[in-house]
Amino acid sequence: MAKLEQLSCSKHFGGKLTKYKFRSTALGDLDARLNIFLPGNSVHGKVQVLMYLGGLTCTEDNAAQKGGFMRDAAAEGIAIIFPDTSPRGAGIQGEDDHWDFGTGAGWYVDATHPQWAKHYRMFTHVTQELPQVIEASGLPIDFSRQSILGHSMGGHGALVLYLTSILSGRNTYRSCSAFSPVCAPSVVPWGIKGFNGYLAGGVEEGRDKYDATTLIGKVKGPVNILIDYGTADEFKHQLMPDLFADAARKAGFDESQVRVRGQDDYDHGYYFVCCASSYLVYADSVHGRSLHSLQNT
């Protein structure tokens, strides 16, 4: 099992934000970096955790530095994990040629195209490798009380990881929330480019495995999903939240299980994310309920 190597640590709202790296098997033996926020109460035992997935061009630092999550996470006793958005330094021809594909744009899939399959396995990295490495390190995080959140490409990732965990029967996450997510990647330019590049089966493989609008139609059990997007989002044509909402309603999920909300006049950037700094998804440790909070928009 790979070991976490601490790179930096800063006190923050009574807790600690620590940057780590480790040699990732899932990413083809490249170094993976991540940030972990532990609230102050973690000194007394394991705490619930929120997995945050970043968007296109982001690293493990963007949301940790600009998202504004830690005040509320500290108050609620929630740890937050901030993975990177792709492997780095794989040396694959073309991986640095485009801002929306390759480095900084892993799309949270396990690549099946031979050119990318060795290193670009972000689905496995986030769902299996990170929890295993963190648990082996002894950090006080309770992965049985885990929820997931993401922004843009990371919102796509959060929805897909949440829904596939239900379909597989693992039920890894108690709830899922997303800022401005790419809800139907198989029908928009960003997603089509990613699926055609990473997957041997192209868009058809992507639609079946990694498109939240398709996956929600396959789920039979209860779900707990909250999506917020800005009505002034310049990339709304890439997001398609209405398609996801329609698919959820057709699958029988009402507003109590799937909420899709437009927030007036917000755009796609971190001004929206930071203003929504109370957008924390957490599992109530006493009643086992999944709770969403978006207090500031």
Side-chain angles (χ1 to χ4, degrees), residues 8 44 79 100 116 142 162-163 166 190-191 200 222 224 244 256 266 276 287 289-290 294-295:
S8 64
H44 303 297
D100 54 356
W116 306 93
D142 182 359
Y162 174 73
L163 293 169
I166 295 173
W190 279 349
N224 194 354
F244 182 82
S256 69
Y266 284 99
H287 302 292
R289 297 173 299 175
S290 293
L294 176 50
Q295 299 171 356

Side-chain angles (χ1 to χ4, degrees), residues 91-146:
I92 301 171
Q93 184 176 359
E95 71 175 338
D96 296 321
D97 291 351
H98 304 279
W99 66 271
D100 54 356
F101 182 82
T103 302
W107 282 97
Y108 303 102
V109 304
D110 279 350
T112 54
H113 189 290
Q115 183 177 358
W116 306 93
K118 178 179 178 180
H119 298 290
Y120 278 72
R121 301 177 64 233
M122 290 300 294
F123 184 95
T124 294
H125 175 65
V126 173
T127 61
Q128 298 179 33
E129 186 175 47
L130 282 178
Q132 291 169 359
V133 170
I134 292 168
E135 284 194 314
S137 76
L139 289 176
I141 291 175
D142 182 359
F143 283 99
S144 71
R145 293 187 290 146
Q146 180 180 189

